[in-house]
Amino acid sequence: MARRKEHTHDEIRAMATTAVLRHLEVEPLDSLSLRKVAAAIGYVPSTLVNLFGSYQGLLLAVAEQTLDELYRHLAAKAQISQANASQAPAAQSQASESSQLEAMAAAYQQFAFAQPRAFQLIFELKATEEQGLSDHHAQLIAQLFGLIESCLARLLPELSAEQLLLASRALWGGVHGLVSLALDDKLFAPGIGIEQAISHHLAVQLKGLGYHKEALCC
């Protein structure tokens, strides 16, 4: 057992979230507990309660860390795609912009399949009435959707801020739904891969929003 004050609070928090993520790499969440996490890092459960408020608080911290990693993964793909768009001829720039959504959707799917349990944890957790979602957690969600809104704003500059907010949620909700079904092997579409399904969804949604470029055919 680690001696008291052997680690700072930030170090213990990092150790605990890392222990949860390592567990999720090989085992489901329901086989974990606060006591098991504490034992894995050499502290007593009360130490983690003092730092996170509860086991739920610890899991929310893990979800925040995963959200941040997911955002960085998508942002990197978006940046690469946007750089390619800026170098493309004028006639191809809008098509290149639309491919940015494809790139982010592909990155989303890849992240989910690489870390399925951590990915699912983000959306399965509910904040307690006492704690609620932290400002940081809300900011992470907002900046993730911000990537989608920015891309849609360049593709469809005529949309208002309210329309962009709604369109980004509807469009990405479909991407998330398809990825979640595929993770559970419940896509039930013989001969159709998840990549093809996502590409079709994006094309249909963008066309419905007024984007009719032939470059985005499925």
Side-chain angles (χ1 to χ4, degrees), residues 32-46 48 55 58:
L32 189 62
S33 67
L34 185 69
R35 186 175 298 278
K36 286 183 179 180
V37 176
I41 65 173
Y43 279 86
V44 295
S46 59
L48 298 184
Y55 181 48
L58 167 58

Side-chain angles (χ1 to χ4, degrees), residues 68-79:
D68 187 50
E69 186 180 351
L70 177 59
Y71 166 77
R72 293 175 187 276
H73 187 59
L74 265 63
K77 295 295 183 181
Q79 187 174 11

Side-chain angles (χ1 to χ4, degrees), residues 6-137:
E6 184 175 335
H7 301 98
T8 65
H9 286 179
D10 285 344
E11 287 173 337
I12 298 173
R13 287 178 64 90
M15 289 162 60
T17 55
T18 298
V20 174
L21 287 169
R22 286 178 177 170
H23 176 90
L24 293 177
E25 289 176 0
V26 294
E27 297 289 343
L29 180 63
D30 59 13
S31 64
L32 189 62
S33 67
L34 185 69
R35 186 175 298 278
K36 286 183 179 180
V37 176
I41 65 173
Y43 279 86
V44 295
S46 59
T47 299
L48 298 184
V49 171
N50 288 337
L51 291 176
F52 295 98
S54 64
Y55 181 48
Q56 186 80 349
L58 167 58
L59 296 181
L60 283 169
V62 173
E64 287 183 8
Q65 187 172 322
T66 307
L67 262 174
D68 187 50
E69 186 180 351
L70 177 59
Y71 166 77
R72 293 175 187 276
H73 187 59
L74 265 63
K77 295 295 183 181
Q79 187 174 11
I80 293 172
S81 183
Q82 188 173 0
N84 291 338
S86 65
Q87 297 172 6
Q92 300 176 12
S93 61
Q94 197 176 28
S96 297
E97 287 282 5
S98 67
S99 68
Q100 185 177 345
L101 278 174
E102 294 267 5
M104 287 192 289
Y108 194 80
Q109 180 250 319
Q110 291 162 5
F111 184 94
F113 275 71
Q115 304 182 53
R117 295 187 184 93
F119 175 83
Q120 290 170 330
L121 177 67
I122 296 173
F123 306 99
E124 291 175 357
L125 276 182
K126 292 183 179 180
T128 63
E129 292 184 5
E130 296 80 12
Q131 289 182 298
L133 287 179
S134 69
D135 291 341
H136 180 56
H137 199 123

Side-chain angles (χ1 to χ4, degrees), residues 91-92 94-96 98 211-218:
Q92 300 176 12
Q94 197 176 28
S96 297
S98 67
Y211 181 78
H212 298 292
K213 291 296 180 180
E214 295 180 359
L216 194 69
C217 63
C218 16

Side-chain angles (χ1 to χ4, degrees), residues 144-218:
L144 187 61
F145 276 113
L147 293 173
I148 316 304
E149 291 175 36
S150 296
C151 187
L152 286 177
R154 290 189 292 272
L155 281 171
L156 299 159
E158 68 278 9
L159 294 184
S160 66
E162 184 178 356
Q163 288 172 323
L164 281 173
L165 184 70
L166 178 60
S168 65
R169 270 59 176 180
L171 183 144
W172 210 255
V175 172
H176 176 76
L178 288 168
V179 170
S180 296
L181 286 172
L183 273 178
D184 291 334
D185 197 23
K186 293 180 179 178
L187 198 56
F188 300 131
I192 297 177
I194 179 62
E195 296 85 358
Q196 185 181 357
I198 289 175
S199 180
H200 178 76
H201 167 72
L202 292 177
V204 170
Q205 287 291 312
L206 289 177
K207 186 175 181 179
L209 289 167
Y211 181 78
H212 298 292
K213 291 296 180 180
E214 295 180 359
L216 194 69
C217 63
C218 16

